[in-house]
Amino acid sequence: LAKTTQPISMDSYEGQEVNITCSHNNIATNDYITWYQQFPSQGPRFIIQGYKTKVTNEVASLFIPADRKSSTLSLPRVSLSDTAVYYCLVGFTGNQFYFGTGTSLTVIP
Amino acid sequence: GAGVSQTPSNKVTEKGKYVELRCDPISGHTALYWYRQSLGQGPEFLIYFQGTGAADDSGLPNDRFFAVRPEGSVSTLKIQRTERGDSAVYLCASSLGPPQETQYFGPGTRLLVL
């Protein structure tokens, strides 16, 4: 069964750009890549979604190479409030969604 | 507008008891998902509804787990003969349509089986 792989944890100082990469080697043609953020005791919250190349919104950018076997979430100028767990979600055919292991980001003052 | 709501927010039960967890999706969302999240782990897919029917229930761990969505809106996750290993946060999400649409999550129900 295909899975996604992310680093378990990352630390960053306030104001820096943070890049979190997710590997999804078995991604299918019709699958999108979605990133979610989760704070303790809350449900995940949508950050950004993409299919290929680059997508940018008001909070993040998502970079997807041509082979789509990985993706990178980029958070510009992180603040303390960005400390959370970040999940990479790839919609596989068959309507099943598998969250990655999650990356625990800690932003340091 | 209102987001996804789940009730109860917390549920404590004894081993062997039956529990029901309720999810109210965002109005107009045809797709509804149930996940289970254990401490320190990512959400684990359980079941996905499109309208009233379960489009995919392959994530349900065994036949003690069952979910319904009789009118295509509210959904109930039912767990029979609860076991201590069922203790987790049960998350519900909904989306406008097909699985590729953004999922909006509720706050979850924290289930503790003693």
Side-chain angles (χ1 to χ4, degrees):
Chain A
L1 195 61
K3 293 184 179 180
T4 58
T5 304
Q6 303 173 232
I8 293 175
S9 64
M10 297 180 68
D11 294 337
S12 177
Y13 287 101
E14 274 191 294
Q16 290 190 329
E17 177 184 76
V18 171
N19 296 309
I20 306 174
T21 297
C22 178
S23 298
H24 29 79
N25 292 320
N26 293 346
I27 189 170
T29 303
N30 295 331
D31 292 330
Y32 281 73
I33 300 157
T34 312
W35 285 80
Y36 288 84
Q37 175 192 56
Q38 187 176 30
F39 298 111
S41 301
Q42 295 185 23
R45 184 175 72 98
F46 171 84
I47 300 175
I48 196 166
Q49 184 183 67
Y51 182 80
K52 63 180 179 181
T53 63
K54 177 184 176 182
V55 179
T56 298
N57 62 21
E58 63 275 9
V59 298
S61 295
L62 179 59
F63 299 91
I64 305 169
D67 66 5
R68 305 203 324 124
K69 293 183 182 300
S70 67
S71 58
T72 299
L73 173 71
S74 181
L75 304 172
R77 302 177 61 80
V78 293
S79 65
L80 296 177
S81 63
D82 293 319
T83 293
V85 179
Y86 293 82
Y87 291 99
C88 164
L89 183 63
V90 182
F92 293 107
T93 54
N95 298 326
Q96 293 192 9
F97 286 86
Y98 292 87
F99 280 78
T101 55
T103 298
S104 179
L105 173 66
T106 301
V107 179
I108 305 165
Chain B
V4 177
S5 63
Q6 293 185 246
T7 54
S9 54
N10 293 281
K11 177 69 176 179
V12 181
T13 191
E14 295 179 342
K15 179 185 173 187
K17 298 292 187 182
Y18 168 83
V19 296
E20 289 190 353
L21 311 179
R22 176 187 169 107
C23 173
D24 282 83
I26 294 173
S27 177
H29 281 194
T30 61
L32 185 145
Y33 314 78
W34 283 99
Y35 293 84
R36 177 171 69 174
Q37 186 171 26
S38 300
L39 193 62
Q41 303 296 315
E44 172 193 14
F45 170 81
L46 296 178
I47 187 170
Y48 153 57
F49 285 92
Q50 185 61 255
T52 60
D56 187 338
D57 65 357
S58 61
L60 296 177
N62 51 59
D63 61 7
R64 295 187 296 105
F65 288 75
F66 189 72
V68 296
R69 195 186 185 201
E71 298 179 357
S73 178
V74 171
S75 176
T76 304
L77 178 65
K78 308 180 180 189
I79 310 175
Q80 298 178 324
R81 305 183 302 281
T82 53
E83 300 178 356
R84 292 193 179 89
D86 298 334
S87 296
V89 175
Y90 289 81
L91 294 164
C92 175
S94 69
S95 66
L96 263 176
Q100 306 292 15
E101 296 285 343
T102 301
Q103 295 182 49
Y104 295 88
F105 283 80
T109 293
R110 286 156 189 76
L111 175 65
L112 177 61
V113 182
L114 301 176

